[in-house]
Amino acid sequence: DAKTTQPPSMDCAEGRAANLPCNHSTISGNEYVYWYRQIHSQGPQYIIHGLKNNETNEMASLIITEDRKSSTLILPHATLRDTAVYYCIVRVGNDYKLSFGAGTTVTVRA
Amino acid sequence: SAVISQKPSRDICQRGTSLTIQCQVDSQVTMMFWYRQQPGQSLTLIATANQGSEATYESGFVIDKFPISRPNLTFSTLTVSNMSPEDSSIYLCSVEGIGTGIQETQYFGPGTRLLVL
């Protein structure tokens, strides 16, 4: 699977949009971009995934660049409960393996 | 998504003993997995639990140390054998292929926090 690069940490203001970047410059045409988050000591929570089109659900939006070499997860209105480690993962659609990197530690401040 | 539960949620064990962790899903799933998360680290896949056959282990993990069972489509166990303090970790079950869930998406249980003294 292609590797991803994320900033180790970032701070966000409560109520503002949080934009989390991820680079995946070696992504293949059949690899999806997945986002998970892990709130302290809990199991990872699935957020969203996409192949090449932008995606939106009740939790977040995923913006994938046209060349697919990078993406941004957008939390539209960050709350204190969004403080977590966010993982960007690329994965071939029919390959079950999820390779978790270090992720981005996001701290939402009041 | 399915409701995934793990038992026990946490335990403190003595070195040399073994602990069996259970993972129960409230609906049938195609695939079940076991991960380990060592303190301050990210998740590492231990193995895929296969129904009716031996689990498929990732590099660095062996059946003698982490025997796994999967008797049906909703249940699996992971045993951590002959434990040492280095086995202190969070052990997580995940599932994929839920009938009503998003396809090709893994969902995780709450984890089992193990401390070995």
Side-chain angles (χ1 to χ4, degrees):
Chain A
D1 291 343
K3 295 199 181 298
T4 62
T5 303
Q6 298 178 252
S9 65
M10 60 185 296
D11 285 0
C12 306
E14 186 179 23
R16 306 294 292 269
N19 297 307
L20 283 60
C22 180
N23 287 323
H24 30 78
S25 58
T26 61
I27 193 169
S28 301
N30 61 347
E31 287 184 310
Y32 289 74
V33 179
Y34 282 76
W35 283 85
Y36 283 80
R37 73 179 182 184
Q38 187 174 26
I39 298 171
H40 181 63
S41 295
Q42 298 180 19
Q45 178 186 22
Y46 165 79
I47 300 173
I48 199 168
H49 76 284
L51 183 62
K52 55 182 178 181
N53 296 322
N54 297 337
E55 302 288 343
T56 296
N57 62 21
E58 66 278 4
M59 289 183 65
S61 295
L62 174 60
I63 308 299
I64 302 174
T65 58
E66 191 168 344
D67 64 8
R68 303 187 67 240
K69 292 184 177 182
S70 66
S71 60
T72 301
L73 179 74
I74 301 173
L75 307 177
H77 304 287
T79 71
L80 298 179
R81 287 176 293 182
D82 292 322
T83 293
V85 179
Y86 287 76
Y87 298 99
C88 170
I89 300 167
V90 294
R91 168 189 162 177
V92 176
N94 60 356
D95 182 356
Y96 58 85
K97 288 189 180 181
L98 294 179
S99 297
F100 284 82
T104 297
T105 299
V106 174
T107 303
V108 180
R109 302 190 185 279
Chain B
S1 62
V3 176
I4 306 167
S5 60
Q6 288 186 229
K7 291 182 180 179
S9 59
R10 61 179 66 239
D11 208 341
I12 301 173
C13 300
Q14 297 298 317
R15 69 176 66 205
T17 63
S18 298
L19 176 71
T20 295
I21 302 167
Q22 298 179 3
C23 178
Q24 179 74 56
V25 193
D26 69 346
S27 60
Q28 294 185 346
V29 297
T30 305
M31 305 192 75
M32 298 183 76
F33 310 93
W34 287 97
Y35 287 78
R36 180 178 73 179
Q37 186 172 29
Q38 295 176 297
Q41 303 297 312
S42 192
L43 282 77
T44 302
L45 179 64
I46 297 172
T48 302
N50 300 311
Q51 188 201 1
S53 64
E54 192 172 286
T56 304
Y57 290 84
E58 298 299 307
S59 176
F61 297 96
V62 295
I63 187 172
D64 290 347
K65 177 66 176 177
F66 298 102
I68 289 171
S69 77
R70 189 178 172 194
N72 55 50
L73 293 177
T74 64
F75 185 79
S76 177
T77 67
L78 168 74
T79 299
V80 186
S81 303
N82 189 24
M83 288 184 285
S84 68
E86 292 70 34
D87 294 319
S88 298
S89 297
I90 300 173
Y91 291 87
L92 295 134
C93 167
S94 74
V95 304
E96 186 164 325
I98 304 166
T100 58
I102 302 172
Q103 296 306 305
E104 297 172 339
T105 297
Q106 276 184 40
Y107 299 93
F108 287 80
T112 295
R113 288 146 194 79
L114 171 61
L115 175 64
V116 183
L117 302 177

